[in-house]
Amino acid sequence: MTPHEAEKALAEAEVVPCVEMQLADARQLVEACLAQGVPALVHREACSKPSCSPKFQVLVRPEDAPRVASLLQQRWMDSLQREGLLPEGQAPQAVPEDGELPCPACGTAAPLVKGACSDCGLQLE
């Protein structure tokens, strides 16, 4: 899907912000979405505070938000594997739609215990 096709697909559609990030990251995510056939746009969020740094949102149709979440999760797992942060011999795990997000330190996808990873103890809340 091209950026022009995405603009046309989203012109009259209801859109929701699915993530807020720096401009370069938002553009990369939009490119990844378009490559997967998910129409997405970068939108600058207005902030009324004088010291507020620019924020950019990736806008998608509500029904596409789960696909974007899955894409973000896959990109995260790929980065863990690329950086060698997964325990040796452990392959990246896919998180079920209703499951837990993986720990950024060890990759365990389990409920938190008192705000910490149940496997390695990294405090996440």
Side-chain angles (χ1 to χ4, degrees), residues 21-63:
M21 52 185 40
Q22 295 178 353
L23 180 58
D25 295 331
R27 286 183 175 164
Q28 286 179 350
L29 180 57
V30 166
E31 287 176 15
C33 288
L34 297 179
Q36 296 292 316
V38 177
L41 297 171
V42 175
H43 170 74
R44 180 160 191 233
E45 180 62 26
C47 181
S48 61
K49 297 177 187 173
S51 62
C52 189
S53 62
K55 295 179 176 89
F56 297 89
Q57 297 175 330
V58 175
L59 302 178
V60 297
R61 298 177 297 205
E63 61 268 20

Side-chain angles (χ1 to χ4, degrees), residues 1-2 28 31 36 39-40 54 59-60 64 72 88 114 123:
M1 175 174 280
T2 67
Q28 286 179 350
E31 287 176 15
Q36 296 292 316
L59 302 178
V60 297
D64 290 329
L72 283 169
E88 193 171 321
K114 296 183 181 178
Q123 192 67 38

